[in-house]
Amino acid sequence: MIEVCDIAKAYRVRGESLAVLRGTSATIEAGAFAAICGASGCGKSTLLLILGGLLQPDCGEVTVAGEALYALSPERRALTRAQVMGYVFQRFHLIPYLTVEENIRAAAIALSRSDDPARVEELMQHFQIENRRHHLPGELSVGEQQRTALARSLYNRPKVLLADEPTGNLDPENEEIVLKAFDEFTEAGGTVVMVTHHPDAAQRADKRWWIRDGMLVEEQN
Amino acid sequence: MVVRDLFVRELRYRPGGFLLGLVAVTAVAASIVGARGFLAGHDADTVALVVALEERAADRMAQMRDDARVFSKSLGFNILLLPEEQDSGALYAENRSTHFFTRAQVAALGRAKFATLNHLLPMLRHRVRWETYGGDVVLVGVEGEIYIKSPSFQKPIEARIEQGTAHVGDALAQRLALNPGDRFTLLGETFTVGRIQPQSASVDDITLLMNLADVQRLSGYADKVTGILALSCNCAAGDLDPIRQEVGRVLSGVQIVEFAVRARARQRARDAIAESTRAEMEDLKASRTALRAQVGHFATLLVSLVVTGAVVFLAVLTSLGVRERRVEMAMLRALGVGSGAVVGLVLARSALTGVAGGVLGCGVGWMAVRLMAGSAIVVTTGFMLTVVGAALLVALFASAWPAWRAARTDPALILNQE
């Protein structure tokens, strides 16, 4: 499902090149729940952005669902992202002026297709936010915001879920809701890549990858 | 859910920036419309002032013409046609002619259709010794006033004097105790006093105004006249050439004397008024033109400052708005929305600000012109539409750089930082 082939990425910091990823490769099968772990600043989020087609690596290629992301034009890559992937961030990044319902529907803006009210309803009920449908993000609790973001990421029925510290700000109850959603997603054939430094969350994954010295190292059970 | 929905929701969620931008664009449009309106009002005022001045001048000129006409008529005649050989000085000194017009010459002048003369009056002037009086008196004979112009509508300046009748000068009447209706004898003939002439402190006080035939008979100059009195037709005072040319075409050997000094002075005054009015008008136009230029420069400067200030303000405002929305825009990009649509969101907001501010500014400017200049006719709909278009361009221009930066911002960088 996801193939990472020899990707490298370096940032310029104060005029100096800071290598984050150094020509690393990995393969994540369809239906897998993969956790990427590592110390802060080791390049976990960078890797996730590269996997999502949002950050061009300095070299190497990423293939998701058979599409070599960085061989595509930016427009085509954006469309592929909307069709194939769902994103969940630690800080949710809900659009502040849209209601819960509208935020979920916003996932389909790039696809130019008509709304699917039944799908919205199904997701809101699943994540127990249907009674908050007309509320703005600022009026929600942290857990409700993350559940809304999760519903938004699933609205387009993606094949891959990319989650950046999705439980970092959550209480145990909401953390469990999120992780359970990931389990269900993988059981349905989807692939989850979750960046986390939370050991308990990482333990829920099928596979765990560590970033050490810019290289992905799979944890052996 | 489409991008348009995002635009509407965001506008309702953050109206502050939009309203501030609206104020800036409104100021731009209002300043343009106001400047145009006030300048056009100034131009209209200038035209009105010039027209009013022209009308006042025309009224004064007409009044002067009427005055001159009335004054000339009160003088009786102001032109005297004399035979060319006649020494006018001798005539005035001696009150006797040495050269005369004949009846045929008078008839020729009477048949002519003069454009410059009317009221021709043949006259014979002759000084005689009147023993009853004890001195010389002047006999002036007149008869048969000839109307050159519009004969059916003119009244004679002098009433016809019947033969045997004489209007007596004041000095003669005083010394001889004559009253209207009295009879007296002159050179062996008896005459009746028609009226006593008012005192004039001139030779007229010893003049007997009589029928022409009587004077011709008494003086021994049958069928002869000293000269012909006439009233000129509004020729400029002192300019006798048109009269000379017309008379010369009918009769040669004629000298033309103007003796209406006061009428001439009045005509000159009239000419001076016309000249001063022209100068006043030129001064008015020059000063209004200079003022117009100053006001125009000031308006241009003011509008330039307002436009520049608005562009800077809008650019800062849009930049702050883009900065405030950078995570949201990055998230939209992560959801697959293209950078063109993100730029469109920024520019659409600016376009709406431009159009709404343009319309509002036109209204404000129009009202200001109407309230302060008291005129609503100076700003056309076409001009207002142009201003709305200009406001749109100003708003888009101001937001072009922030929009471009929004498109260039790497969503990964934002999402990674946040």
Side-chain angles (χ1 to χ4, degrees), chain A:
Chain A
M1 171 57 63
I2 300 175
E3 285 183 48
V4 177
C5 183
D6 200 23
I7 58 169
K9 182 69 183 176
Y11 293 107
R12 300 288 298 176
V13 180
R14 294 179 183 270
E16 292 182 9
S17 179
L18 177 64
V20 179
L21 299 174
R22 304 169 187 269
T24 189
S25 300
T27 299
I28 301 172
E29 301 297 334
F33 181 179
I36 297 174
C37 309
S40 289
C42 70
K44 303 186 297 292
S45 294
T46 296
L47 176 64
L48 200 71
L49 291 168
I50 290 172
L51 294 182
L54 282 165
L55 185 62
Q56 176 102 35
D58 297 335
C59 64
E61 185 52 275
V62 176
T63 303
V64 177
E67 293 273 16
L69 289 183
Y70 296 99
L72 302 173
S73 67
E75 292 75 20
R76 177 73 189 152
R77 190 159 62 240
L79 189 62
T80 301
R81 188 162 56 242
Q83 289 170 333
V84 177
M85 303 177 203
Y87 259 109
V88 183
F89 294 93
Q90 182 178 2
R91 293 189 182 176
F92 330 127
H93 297 329
L94 296 172
I95 296 175
Y97 47 83
L98 298 182
T99 63
V100 166
E101 185 179 347
E102 289 167 339
N103 260 291
I104 296 170
R105 283 161 45 205
I109 286 178
L111 299 180
S112 303
R113 71 177 188 215
S114 56
D115 288 336
D116 184 350
R119 176 69 173 158
V120 176
E121 202 62 36
E122 173 195 340
L123 289 167
M124 285 195 298
Q125 285 183 7
H126 184 79
F127 291 109
Q128 300 166 25
I129 48 177
E130 70 273 23
N131 58 342
R132 298 294 223 158
R133 69 175 69 226
H134 299 306
H135 289 207
L136 295 175
E139 299 162 346
L140 303 177
S141 69
V142 171
E144 287 169 332
Q145 288 184 57
Q146 187 61 303
R147 279 180 271 153
T148 302
L150 199 54
R152 178 180 65 187
S153 69
L154 295 170
Y155 179 69
N156 289 335
R157 302 181 196 280
K159 294 176 181 171
V160 175
L161 263 187
L162 302 173
D164 190 356
E165 302 279 8
T167 60
N169 287 334
L170 300 182
D171 56 68
E173 185 182 350
N174 279 295
E175 180 181 343
E176 179 54 32
I177 291 173
V178 170
L179 294 174
K180 186 180 172 193
F182 290 167
D183 288 338
E184 290 167 353
F185 183 73
T186 53
E187 284 167 13
T191 305
V192 174
V193 179
M194 177 178 70
V195 164
T196 184
H197 60 262
H198 199 290
D200 292 342
Q203 286 304 316
R204 293 285 288 268
D206 305 330
K207 289 185 178 181
R208 281 165 293 284
W209 300 80
W210 292 82
I211 297 181
R212 293 200 177 102
D213 297 327
M215 302 298 287
L216 273 170
V217 178
E218 187 175 359
E219 184 180 286
Q220 300 298 322
N221 288 324

Side-chain angles (χ1 to χ4, degrees), chain B residues 242-255:
Chain B
I243 299 175
R244 286 197 185 96
Q245 287 171 10
E246 272 203 323
V247 172
R249 281 197 288 271
V250 177
L251 203 62
S252 61
V254 178
Q255 64 172 305

